[in-house]
Amino acid sequence: MSTSEPRWRLDGVRVIRGGELDPNTPQTPGMTRAAAISRATVGAQRIWAGTVRIHPGARTGPHHHGALESIIYVVSGRARMRWGERLEFTAEAGPGDFIFVPPYVPHQELNASSDEPLECVLVRSDADPVVVNLDLTPAEAPEQVRWVDAIHR
C-alpha cells in the first residue's frame, strides 16, 4: 500500500460497543447522555450520536442545541416532549418512534412512565456536542400537538 492510499484498517469502519460510550459530554439535569459517535470518540466531522436515559417519572431541564438539528429515536419507555418559548406545546412518542428537534427550539424531555426508564438514541447534525441549558418558567397547561406530515395524512 502506498502512503497516499487510505489506511482502511485504522481509518475505516468503527464499532463502538454499548458499554464503551463516553459520558464526558454536556449534560442537562434530569437525564444522562453518553456519546458513541463524536469528534472526540471516532474523529467524526459532521455528526454526533449517542444515548440518553431518563429515570421513571423524571424530567429534564429546559434546553436547546444551538444550530444543530436533533433526532431522537425511542428505544423503550414513553417520551413526553415539551417545546416552545414557555414549553407550551407537548407530544408523546413510544418505542420505534422518531422525534425531530429543529435548531434553537427550547425543549424538555419527560419520562411519561412512573415505573419504566426511558431509553433513546440521539443523532445530531454536527460532531461537537452543543447543549444550552435554559432558565425558563414552563406554561401551566401545555397544548397537545399531533403533527401529521404532508406525505402521511
Side-chain angles (χ1 to χ4, degrees):
M1 169 169 47
S2 77
T3 58
S4 63
E5 292 179 30
R7 299 176 313 148
W8 296 122
R9 182 175 180 279
L10 300 176
D11 295 331
V13 172
R14 312 275 175 87
V15 175
I16 293 76
R17 305 275 180 223
E20 298 173 349
L21 303 186
D22 181 8
N24 297 312
T25 190
Q27 299 293 329
T28 297
M31 67 169 41
T32 304
R33 288 188 191 97
I37 309 299
S38 68
R39 189 177 314 278
T41 60
V42 300
Q45 299 298 305
R46 292 180 294 276
I47 196 166
W48 183 99
T51 60
V52 66
R53 179 183 174 97
I54 302 175
H55 294 291
R59 65 181 61 208
T60 71
H63 61 283
H64 69 73
H65 301 284
L68 306 184
E69 293 178 315
S70 298
I71 297 168
I72 303 168
Y73 175 77
V74 180
V75 175
S76 64
R78 191 99 193 130
R80 181 175 297 132
M81 298 293 293
R82 289 186 67 173
W83 70 93
E85 293 296 322
R86 294 185 49 240
L87 305 177
E88 65 268 31
F89 305 108
T90 187
E92 288 196 12
D97 293 345
F98 287 85
I99 301 164
F100 173 68
V101 182
Y104 299 103
V105 171
H107 63 282
Q108 175 185 49
E109 293 95 341
L110 297 89
N111 184 337
S113 171
S114 61
D115 58 359
E116 181 182 12
L118 172 60
E119 305 273 350
C120 300
V121 172
L122 307 174
V123 178
R124 298 221 177 85
S125 61
D126 191 74
D128 293 319
V130 174
V131 176
V132 179
N133 292 312
L134 303 170
D135 183 18
L136 55 86
T137 303
E140 290 289 324
E143 174 188 341
Q144 182 79 21
V145 176
R146 168 87 165 100
W147 185 77
V148 180
D149 66 70
I151 298 172
H152 302 97
R153 294 202 181 274

